[in-house]
Amino acid sequence: MFHNARNFTAHEIESHTVVDVRLNWSDPSYEWTVTGFIDNLFDSNHGIIGFDVSGFTGNTQISYARPRTYGITIRRDF
């Protein structure tokens, strides 16, 4: 996919795969929930959006995906 109307090779965002993992556990009464997650499991470094600013600065800008992120949440319902 290209992120501008001119379809220059420098402005192409290549295909990519992102894998996110989420695991939930709840106690039988559903008072407690624990969730573990990993976003961007394989730490894919891919462009997600770009801007052609060559008319102003002579270059392009590309924003890249967030790196692998992981964490855990604990929730208590009353």
Side-chain angles (χ1 to χ4, degrees), residues 2-66:
F2 295 91
H3 57 86
N4 75 8
R6 293 183 277 180
N7 294 348
F8 290 138
T9 306
H11 303 141
E12 183 177 9
I13 296 178
E14 296 182 6
S15 65
H16 56 275
T17 301
V18 178
V19 177
D20 296 334
V21 178
R22 188 164 307 272
L23 180 64
N24 293 323
W25 174 85
S26 296
D27 69 316
S29 64
Y30 293 100
E31 288 182 9
W32 291 94
T33 303
V34 179
T35 303
F37 67 90
I38 304 172
D39 293 336
N40 196 2
L41 178 65
F42 299 115
D43 203 19
S44 175
N45 184 22
H46 58 275
I48 54 175
I49 191 170
F51 299 99
D52 178 14
V53 291
S54 57
F56 301 110
T57 61
N59 62 9
T60 61
Q61 297 178 340
I62 298 176
S63 295
Y64 290 92
R66 293 181 356 177

